[in-house]
Amino acid sequence: EGEAARLFRIAAAEGDVAGLVYLATCYEHGRGVEEDQIEAVRLYRLAADQGHPKAQCFLGVCYEKGTGVGKDEREAARLYGLAADQSNAVQAVRWDVLTVSAGACREAKGMRHAC
């Protein structure tokens, strides 16, 4: 495996949440490791569950596009909402675009505020 992926794996094993996100990105794009979308989703989920906003956004993208997980725009909107609630402008924009394009703006807004 590549040196960066190896170091991210060590950081993740030591509890570094950002290390999880970087390692997940390596798996998602096949950088330094064999591409594995399912492993990328697993790692993004671990970091997202710990409240990491980029992981929430990246996992949302996976759900939005159906990459490594079944396509689920409702779950994508929920994850974007979690990230947006942490004042991350990029996720807020993705959340707004997704909810409007999915025709579920009213429902998703309720989900966002319930989180």
Side-chain angles (χ1 to χ4, degrees):
E1 87 186 347
E3 181 65 10
R6 185 182 74 77
L7 294 173
F8 294 145
R9 184 180 311 283
I10 291 169
E14 293 178 355
D16 184 327
V17 180
L20 279 172
V21 176
Y22 290 123
L23 183 59
T25 302
C26 289
Y27 277 105
E28 183 178 7
H29 300 287
R31 296 195 176 124
V33 295
E34 186 174 330
E35 186 175 310
D36 185 340
Q37 301 299 322
I38 294 170
E39 180 66 0
V41 167
R42 185 185 77 79
L43 295 169
Y44 283 141
R45 185 170 289 120
L46 287 173
D49 288 348
Q50 294 181 57
H52 193 284
K54 284 186 181 180
Q56 292 166 338
C57 183
F58 295 160
L59 184 57
V61 171
C62 291
Y63 275 102
E64 181 181 357
K65 295 182 177 185
T67 304
V69 68
K71 187 173 182 173
D72 185 340
E73 290 183 341
R74 178 174 289 173
E75 180 63 2
R78 184 187 77 80
L79 289 160
Y80 293 147
L82 289 174
D85 285 344
Q86 295 182 63
S87 299
N88 192 312
V90 172
Q91 285 85 317
V93 169
R94 288 195 69 84
W95 181 85
D96 286 340
V97 168
L98 176 65
T99 55
V100 170
S101 70
C105 189
R106 197 172 296 134
E107 180 180 343
K109 281 184 180 177
M111 289 170 32
R112 178 181 180 193
H113 295 292
C115 295

